[in-house]
Amino acid sequence: MKKQTWRAGNMLYPVPAVMVSCKRGNEKPNIITVAWAGTVCSDPAMVSISVRKSRYSHDIIKESGEFVVNLTTKKLARATDFCGVRSGRDMDKFKEMHLTEYKSTQIKVPGIMESPVNIECKLKQVIELGTHDMFLAEVVAVNVNEDLLDEKGTLHLEKAELIAYAHGQYYGLGQHIGKFGYSVKKKK
């Protein structure tokens, strides 16, 4: 097997394709699609998103100090793409994509009702990195669609048909392969 060496670049794929909702004061809320989002700490629960400084949502998030990470699904794929290529300076993306504002429980920024999971975040730190700034935020609440829970309250996220982003393409998540720790589990 041969390999080619490419110039340095971001090839850590797949990544979640999430819609981040944000709002400043009495202005209309906005949605930006972000593929550079991730978990950075479990206690306290923290996430990061990286946003280009030129994006409309960048200053909204920086000034308001709050945002919601909304997981995306197969049904939301078109809206996910649209919110990543259109600017909220020019339109109301909630209205344009027929999305419903979901009143958050801990912050003033609405989530997206159609998203199966809404992660409410309070900004803790902004790290300037070059073309993008990384927003580190504490998770203050998570809202989950009840139809993804079983009778014991266990979350079955596989029912949501989440999507991921890889090298310019959107993909549905595939089949179940194993549970965390399955490689070392003792056989009965």
Side-chain angles (χ1 to χ4, degrees):
M1 179 182 306
K2 291 181 74 174
K3 291 190 180 251
Q4 289 183 2
T5 300
W6 293 1
R7 67 176 174 82
N10 297 311
M11 289 299 293
L12 183 61
Y13 292 120
V15 293
V18 298
M19 290 192 287
V20 175
S21 47
C22 55
K23 185 177 190 300
R24 178 174 39 206
N26 292 325
E27 295 178 7
K28 71 182 182 325
N30 191 47
I31 303 167
I32 182 173
T33 298
V34 174
W36 294 349
T39 299
V40 294
C41 189
S42 56
D43 189 13
M46 295 184 75
V47 297
S48 70
I49 61 169
S50 292
V51 179
R52 278 189 186 273
K53 295 173 187 179
S54 61
R55 300 287 188 215
Y56 177 62
S57 296
H58 178 280
D59 289 342
I60 295 172
I61 294 168
K62 196 170 184 179
E63 292 170 24
S64 72
E66 299 178 336
F67 59 90
V68 179
V69 175
N70 303 277
L71 299 190
T72 57
T73 65
K74 184 177 176 182
K75 288 181 182 175
L76 289 170
R78 184 174 185 282
T80 301
D81 185 65
F82 185 91
C83 290
V85 297
R86 298 290 188 178
S87 176
R89 284 184 184 101
D90 308 324
M91 70 181 64
D92 180 337
K93 293 183 191 177
F94 273 95
K95 184 178 178 183
E96 193 71 29
M97 289 288 96
H98 308 288
L99 297 171
T100 311
E101 292 179 40
Y102 173 78
K103 185 173 174 29
S104 292
T105 62
Q106 302 296 313
I107 63 175
K108 295 175 184 166
V109 175
I112 300 170
M113 178 64 84
E114 292 78 6
S115 170
V117 177
N118 316 97
I119 305 167
E120 298 179 28
C121 302
K122 285 199 175 207
L123 186 60
K124 292 296 179 190
Q125 185 178 0
V126 179
I127 301 172
E128 294 188 28
L129 299 173
T131 57
H132 291 68
D133 282 348
M134 179 188 290
F135 295 104
L136 288 175
E138 184 172 352
V139 175
V140 295
V142 178
N143 306 294
V144 180
N145 284 8
E146 289 182 353
D147 63 352
L148 297 177
L149 304 174
D150 66 18
E151 61 282 347
K152 294 179 184 177
T154 302
L155 177 63
H156 292 277
L157 208 45
E158 70 279 3
K159 292 180 181 179
E161 297 185 308
L162 297 177
I163 60 173
Y165 178 85
H167 202 59
Q169 308 292 322
Y170 300 99
Y171 296 93
L173 296 183
Q175 70 185 50
H176 178 261
I177 297 170
K179 180 178 175 181
F180 177 75
Y182 82 98
S183 64
V184 296
K185 186 176 178 180
K186 293 182 182 177
K187 298 189 191 246
K188 293 181 181 178

